[in-house]
Amino acid sequence: MSENIVICDHPLIQHKLALLRDKNATTKDFRQIVSELAMLMCYEATRDLPLKDVDVETPVGIARSKVISGKTLAFVPILRAGTGMLDGVLTLVPSAKVGHVGIYRDHETLRPVEYYSKFPEELDQRDVIVLDPMLATGGSAIEAINLIKEKGAKSIKFMCACAAPEGLHALSSAHPDVKIYCAALDEKLNDVGYIVPGLGDAGDRIFGTK
Ligand code: PRP
Ligand code: URA
């Protein structure tokens, strides 16, 4: 597997994913667990953020310390389901900026249809983390990252709960510079483009629609 693909195998992440997969999880539980999973995965995905040295005056002396350098991070959830991950990641990085990309999959063709985008300024100077619980064919993630790159972003990561081999291959081929973090690499896509075993329709389960 490419070194740009990280399967987050932390026990807490794997435990939350198992809870998410359960078809009997309520909307309330599903929504909360997506958020918690995203927070834990964000910890992994921010492990390599650049630091700079600073001197901090403690009550007792000067501590040579490290703080995150550069412009604040930007999170970009893909609507709808990616917004379910936002609370969790903002708990860890409350100062982050947030962009949005609205994309849905056409049910017949499975191709992504973009309907909205809005990004923070100076994306070229920010680390961008794109959020979507599901990487199925990869079409939505590829299209979202195309738009983000058009705005100048140079440092992009993608974070999802479940990935299908087809989506992982498509995304890493289209955007080899983008590091992908997922909690699980599942078996396959079924004939209507759902991840097997996956967790069903993430947007519907987060928002209680169907
Ligand atoms: C889901 C999911 C991803 C996309 C993944 O969104 O949240 O965005 O499908 O599929 P892909 O990798 O084949 O593109 P959906 O189209 O159901 O839209 P929604 O979140 O608005 O329900
Ligand atoms: N989108 C989802 O929400 N679930 C899948 O399994 C595939 C795409």
Side-chain angles (χ1 to χ4, degrees), residues 25-91:
T26 63
T27 302
K28 172 175 168 288
D29 288 345
F30 191 91
R31 188 182 297 145
Q32 182 177 335
I33 298 161
V34 166
S35 174
E36 291 169 354
L37 182 83
M39 182 177 70
L40 294 167
M41 292 186 68
C42 183
Y43 185 78
E44 301 261 7
T46 50
R47 184 177 287 280
D48 59 355
L49 283 183
L51 294 169
K52 66 178 179 193
D53 293 323
V54 291
D55 287 335
V56 177
E57 198 174 341
T58 79
V60 183
I62 302 292
R64 192 80 177 138
S65 308
K66 292 184 186 302
V67 294
I68 293 169
S69 70
K71 291 243 172 246
T72 49
L73 268 174
F75 294 116
V76 179
I78 301 178
L79 309 180
R80 289 178 300 165
T83 59
M85 302 169 79
L86 198 52
D87 271 4
V89 296
L90 287 176
T91 302

Side-chain angles (χ1 to χ4, degrees), residues 44-186:
E44 301 261 7
T46 50
R47 184 177 287 280
D48 59 355
L49 283 183
L51 294 169
K52 66 178 179 193
D53 293 323
V54 291
D55 287 335
V56 177
E57 198 174 341
T58 79
V60 183
I62 302 292
R64 192 80 177 138
S65 308
K66 292 184 186 302
V67 294
I68 293 169
S69 70
K71 291 243 172 246
T72 49
L73 268 174
F75 294 116
V76 179
I78 301 178
L79 309 180
R80 289 178 300 165
T83 59
M85 302 169 79
L86 198 52
D87 271 4
V89 296
L90 287 176
T91 302
L92 273 197
V93 193
S95 58
K97 308 288 183 189
V98 179
H100 291 85
V101 178
I103 294 178
Y104 68 87
R105 285 200 313 182
D106 180 284
H107 283 298
E108 299 295 320
T109 64
L110 299 183
R111 293 301 305 149
V113 181
E114 186 219 330
Y115 58 91
Y116 181 78
S117 68
K118 180 97 179 170
F119 299 109
E121 288 180 342
E122 298 171 320
L123 224 45
D124 57 320
Q125 295 167 51
R126 300 183 191 281
D127 291 313
V128 178
I129 303 183
V130 182
L131 310 171
D132 195 322
M134 309 308 277
L135 181 65
T137 65
S140 304
I142 292 169
E143 183 59 23
I145 293 169
N146 285 342
L147 294 169
I148 293 165
K149 283 187 174 174
E150 275 170 24
K151 292 288 172 189
K154 295 179 187 71
S155 167
I156 304 172
K157 293 172 178 165
F158 179 81
M159 220 170 89
C160 64
C162 285
E166 295 88 333
L168 213 48
H169 181 258
L171 178 54
S172 56
S173 303
H175 294 295
D177 54 313
V178 171
K179 198 157 178 172
I180 304 167
Y181 294 82
C182 53
L185 172 56
D186 277 10

Side-chain angles (χ1 to χ4, degrees), residues 105 134 136 193-195 200-202:
R105 285 200 313 182
M134 309 308 277
Y194 275 77
I195 301 175
D201 189 307

